Amino acid sequence: MASATTSRFSRSALIKLAVGLVLVGGLFAVPRYVSSPYALHIMILIFLSTIMGESWNILGGYTGQYSVGHAAYFGVGAYTTVMLMQFRQVPPWIGVWAGIAAVLVVALIIGSICFRLRGPYFVLASIAVAEIMRLSATNLDKFTKGAEGILATEIPVFIIGEHVVTDFLTKVPFYYIGLSLALLTIAVTWAVQHSKLGYYFQAIREDQDAAHSLGINIPLYKNIGLAISATLTALAGSFYAIYVGFVDPSTVLSLDLSVQIVLVCIIGGIGTIYGPVVGALALVPLSEALRSNAIAEGLFKSGIVDPASATGTFLKENLAHAHVLIYGILVVLVILFMPEGLLGFLRKLGARLKQGRA
Amino acid sequence: MAILEISHVSKFFGGLAANSDVSFTMEAGMIMGLIGPNGAGKTTLFNCITGYYPPSKGEIIFKGRRMNGLQPDKVCKLGMVRTWQKVRPLAKLSVVDNVMVGALCRTNSLKVARAIALEQIEVVGLSHKTDFLAGSLPIGERKKLEVARVLATKPELLLLDEVMGGLNPAESEEIVRLILDIKARGVSQMVIEHDMKTIMRISDRIVVLNSGEKLTEGSPEEVVHNQAVIDAYLGESHA
């Protein structure tokens, strides 16, 4: 971290910058060459996971406060944007600011209560608060339409002056929004890591009492971490709501979602800038492959298993339903054998290869 | 000028008095030794002084300002900072990053903080370990890191809680030199230490605690010859 700042203009840094720019440029060019809506959909899901993972990472990875209630911020962002659009005809690009404001209020309340707790007690409190939000959204059905959810039918056309920027009818605008938001969250994380905030967050993570004695105002910095994290999560929620066009408590406010957000980080590599990106790249295609039964199809096509055999029928019928199970097993394996996540594992592997060559 | 005044400080945990009615005054620039048998309330007193516990009774005055109820971070900003008996390195950060966390107390610039940190790392003699992870250091170097980190906060009063505990004689000697060096820079220090020879050598004045109360106070000479102190340490049969 610190050594990177001293050698800011070294050759390897320049190479990294160049590779990064080419990658980003390539990503912006993708919709010109890829027309398959499904491929774009997968990319958008990867962006969404990246945004959620990076957001959580600031509070969980850097500050060490393991919130398992981030669905609260995601859901409040999503609901605020959709409700304003649907019931008050407020366009989402304005509604999202209201969503962020609402989330900041929620975060401030949650922070002032839950940050008195440490370790597992904080985790439990964060789950409890998210569950309260979910139950509220389910039961206040005059306000939120309850468990039925809200279908977004009124996404307005985005016009600047006379020029129609987009009508949101294809996946392309969502691709660009998702990519931009993902880059934004990565940039925010980079800025945090290379500032006083990053040092203070990590000091709190490593040893709260020591941090306190070194002049760090613990509640203040925890709340700053939460505010940044919650704001970015709200962006992810708003984006999701407009993209999918539907919100209900059991998706955008669920414990499942909270866990999903944490997993992106843990699998990818916690407390690192690119860990959540790696996590999203691994988890989204994996869960899609499992859900769409691509694994069984692959086994049949490659001739390893005969689709007509008993095993084949069994796999065809059950593998798709077992996707949660397989997903769970993989997660356990990664946690057991790659405690620093995929990114940490890849880095170690790279270092070992380099050593072998030298 | 008195830098720190402890007046009638008591700290109760339920019915147990960890400190009771402790009073003393510390002059600026001196090294004050704080000694006493195990359980005498030395660390509790440190915790009260630096804001980890509010004292149940009494007042703590630092540079003429009442400190009761101030949080540790405010106490640090005002120029008083402590180390921990059980060292607390920020294990996954490098040595220089650890010390930078302390330095950031006085600046918002990473560049300035890094310069301060490197300077303090040199003072404690850890320059060869600058980029090592704090968690990888052996105990002697962890203690030095602890001192570098608090020095980086630019304190006026340093409270050292057994910085020599668990060290071999050679390492202890280095810490002694470091403490005297810090004194030469004009920083006041209050030192908890178990090794009598060392504490007698470095202290300008010594306060002896026993069962939470102040037993006596005086120059090292006075303290070693005080009958009450000998009784407290060796038991009355030796008297």
Side-chain angles (χ1 to χ4, degrees):
Chain A
M1 179 164 74
S3 54
T5 52
T6 50
S7 56
R8 195 178 293 164
F9 300 109
S10 71
R11 234 181 85 200
S12 73
L14 280 177
I15 292 172
K16 265 186 204 164
L17 188 70
V19 171
L21 284 177
V22 168
L23 259 175
V24 169
L27 281 170
F28 271 102
V30 162
R32 286 174 181 275
Y33 304 104
V34 177
S35 54
S36 148
Y38 185 65
L40 288 182
H41 172 69
I42 298 292
M43 292 297 285
I44 292 168
L45 289 185
I46 291 174
F47 296 149
L48 187 68
S49 274
T50 305
I51 303 165
M52 297 191 298
E54 293 282 354
S55 318
W56 184 88
N57 200 25
I58 288 178
L59 184 67
Y62 284 94
T63 321
Q65 308 302 307
Y66 286 15
S67 157
V68 190
H70 258 49
Y73 315 117
F74 188 91
V76 169
Y79 261 98
T80 311
T81 310
V82 167
M83 282 164 69
L84 281 174
M85 187 171 77
Q86 206 58 21
F87 306 149
R88 292 278 180 274
Q89 283 72 48
V90 179
W93 50 91
I94 293 171
V96 66
W97 296 104
I100 289 174
V103 161
L104 281 176
V105 172
V106 173
L108 203 72
I109 297 169
I110 294 181
S112 59
I113 300 168
C114 297
F115 281 145
R116 290 158 197 264
L117 304 168
R118 291 194 193 187
Y121 303 101
F122 173 77
V123 174
L124 290 176
S126 70
I127 295 175
V129 173
E131 283 295 280
I132 291 170
M133 303 300 293
R134 184 179 66 81
L135 291 169
S136 306
T138 312
N139 291 303
L140 294 172
D141 42 9
K142 293 241 167 59
F143 185 52
T144 62
K145 286 196 171 179
E148 186 190 321
I150 304 170
L151 192 62
T153 51
E154 315 230 340
I155 303 183
V157 178
F158 188 26
I159 301 172
I160 296 178
E162 299 285 298
H163 177 66
V164 177
V165 180
T166 178
D167 50 13
F168 296 104
L169 292 179
T170 66
K171 299 211 182 282
V172 176
F174 294 106
Y175 178 93
Y176 285 122
I177 297 170
L179 177 56
S180 309
L181 289 178
L183 291 174
L184 172 74
T185 53
I186 293 170
V188 169
T189 308
W190 190 92
V192 164
Q193 181 166 329
H194 293 83
S195 72
K196 181 171 178 169
L197 274 182
Y199 279 81
Y200 273 20
F201 287 170
Q202 294 181 77
I204 293 172
R205 176 189 73 201
E206 293 298 313
D207 192 322
Q208 184 173 321
D209 288 323
H212 207 175
S213 75
L214 294 170
I216 300 176
N217 183 335
I218 304 286
L220 174 70
Y221 281 94
K222 279 186 180 174
N223 276 305
I224 292 176
L226 175 60
I228 298 173
S229 180
T231 301
L232 296 175
T233 310
L235 277 176
S238 299
F239 172 59
Y240 170 89
I242 304 305
Y243 176 55
V244 175
F246 176 70
V247 292
D248 75 332
S250 66
T251 49
V252 298
L253 284 165
S254 68
L255 182 58
D256 274 5
L257 176 68
S258 293
V259 172
Q260 197 74 28
I261 293 174
V262 180
L263 282 182
V264 171
C265 280
I266 292 185
I267 301 287
I270 209 166
T272 57
I273 296 180
Y274 299 108
V277 181
V278 175
L281 281 173
L283 285 186
V284 171
L286 174 69
S287 91
E288 282 301 311
L290 290 170
R291 218 194 311 256
S292 62
N293 223 1
I295 292 183
E297 300 286 332
L299 287 173
F300 299 152
K301 263 189 202 152
S302 61
I304 298 172
V305 181
D306 177 10
S309 72
T311 327
T313 340
F314 178 80
L315 284 180
K316 213 189 302 177
E317 278 170 10
N318 294 307
L319 208 54
H321 302 298
H323 77 267
V324 182
L325 178 69
I326 297 175
Y327 191 86
I329 292 172
L330 286 171
V331 167
V332 171
L333 288 178
V334 168
I335 292 171
L336 277 180
F337 297 108
M338 304 176 193
E340 282 166 40
L342 282 171
L343 188 67
F345 177 76
L346 292 174
R347 277 193 183 144
K348 253 186 212 158
L349 203 71
R352 203 167 291 171
L353 285 179
K354 228 181 236 172
Q355 253 178 2
R357 231 179 287 153
Chain B
M1 191 195 83
I3 191 163
L4 183 71
E5 290 170 56
I6 310 287
S7 82
H8 306 288
V9 167
S10 299
K11 176 68 195 172
F12 304 109
F13 295 107
L16 180 82
N19 287 138
S20 87
D21 203 29
V22 177
S23 300
F24 60 85
T25 301
M26 194 180 155
E27 298 299 319
M30 65 155 37
I31 295 180
M32 166 82 92
L34 189 59
I35 63 170
N38 289 329
K42 305 180 293 286
T43 297
T44 303
L45 190 62
F46 263 33
N47 283 331
C48 286
I49 295 174
T50 50
Y52 279 87
Y53 305 146
S56 311
K57 276 187 200 160
E59 276 194 322
I60 289 153
I61 315 269
F62 175 63
K63 293 194 292 180
R65 180 176 171 158
R66 192 169 183 272
M67 305 296 278
N68 296 42
L70 286 189
Q71 289 287 311
D73 55 299
K74 296 278 173 338
V75 173
C76 173
K77 287 231 157 74
L78 289 170
M80 181 158 69
V81 63
R82 59 95 56 89
T83 65
W84 302 83
Q85 182 175 3
K86 186 179 167 292
V87 287
R88 292 172 173 274
L90 309 172
K92 284 188 188 154
L93 301 189
S94 68
V95 166
V96 66
D97 287 345
N98 264 265
V99 184
M100 278 174 74
V101 170
L104 285 167
C105 167
R106 301 279 175 226
T107 172
N108 289 323
S109 149
L110 292 189
K111 222 171 150 190
V112 175
R114 197 176 158 82
I116 298 174
L118 290 173
E119 197 182 311
Q120 302 308 330
I121 288 171
E122 180 152 11
V123 168
V124 302
L126 276 182
S127 295
H128 58 298
K129 291 280 177 89
T130 304
D131 291 320
F132 281 60
L133 286 188
S136 73
L137 300 183
I139 180 71
E141 291 177 346
R142 285 183 189 211
K143 297 258 180 184
K144 287 181 187 167
L145 171 62
E146 192 101 341
V147 176
R149 206 168 61 183
V150 291
L151 282 177
T153 68
K154 301 266 171 80
E156 287 175 54
L157 172 57
L158 209 52
L159 294 98
L160 303 174
D161 195 349
E162 288 200 39
V163 270
M164 285 171 245
L167 300 190
N168 67 36
E171 289 170 328
S172 293
E173 192 52 39
E174 284 181 70
I175 300 276
V176 166
R177 253 179 280 145
L178 182 57
I179 290 175
L180 294 174
D181 185 31
I182 294 169
K183 182 189 176 186
R185 288 155 191 262
V187 178
S188 316
Q189 295 171 87
M190 196 189 295
V191 182
I192 295 181
E193 206 53 65
H194 268 300
D195 182 49
M196 282 304 140
K197 263 192 196 141
T198 314
I199 200 90
M200 294 299 154
R201 219 176 99 203
I202 60 175
S203 303
D204 297 306
R205 219 173 156 71
I206 290 177
V207 167
V208 187
L209 292 182
N210 187 31
S211 315
E213 293 173 29
K214 188 174 96 174
L215 200 60
T216 187
E217 177 187 348
S219 70
E221 272 295 295
E222 287 161 8
V223 166
V224 270
H225 294 112
N226 184 303
Q227 194 55 47
V229 175
I230 297 169
D231 290 348
Y233 269 88
L234 301 175
E236 289 186 28
S237 59
H238 289 266

